[in-house]
Amino acid sequence: MIARVAVWEPMPTDDRDWLVDAMADVPGVHAVYHLLDPETGNGLSVAVFEDEAAAEHAGAAIRHRAEEVGWHDGQRPARVSETFYQVLRGRP
């Protein structure tokens, strides 16, 4: 398994259920979380995937849905960083 952690400064707080919904039907997606620090407005996007192929398919699904909902039509915050980690241990 692998985990993707993206840092946002600030974290977009508008309705982004479309993003989570886009990944819901992708095989190999185990978890998706958006975390917000209420004091700073910064956040993390954390997702856990079965493997790199699942992460790539999820990314494609997100890009497709972003086009459908017009996510890129306006100016939005961009992530500061994105890092993939090997999951050593965990429990659902």
Side-chain angles (χ1 to χ4, degrees):
M1 280 198 296
I2 61 172
R4 172 195 172 268
V5 178
V7 176
W8 294 82
E9 295 177 355
M11 170 63 103
T13 56
D14 52 350
D15 177 16
R16 293 212 319 163
D17 287 342
W18 62 265
L19 187 146
V20 176
D21 293 342
M23 294 177 28
D25 295 330
V26 177
V29 175
H30 294 290
V32 181
Y33 297 97
H34 286 163
L35 312 174
L36 176 70
D37 178 338
E39 291 184 20
T40 66
N42 298 334
L44 299 174
S45 174
V46 180
V48 179
F49 307 100
E50 185 63 35
D51 52 28
E52 289 182 31
E56 290 172 11
H57 288 116
I62 290 168
R63 289 187 295 277
H64 178 74
R65 188 69 59 87
E67 289 298 320
E68 289 180 344
V69 301
W71 173 256
H72 299 293
D73 291 348
Q75 195 167 21
R76 307 277 186 184
R79 65 179 178 258
V80 174
S81 66
E82 175 183 58
T83 306
F84 286 85
Y85 296 91
Q86 178 184 9
V87 176
L88 295 178
R89 64 191 62 83
R91 187 172 149 182

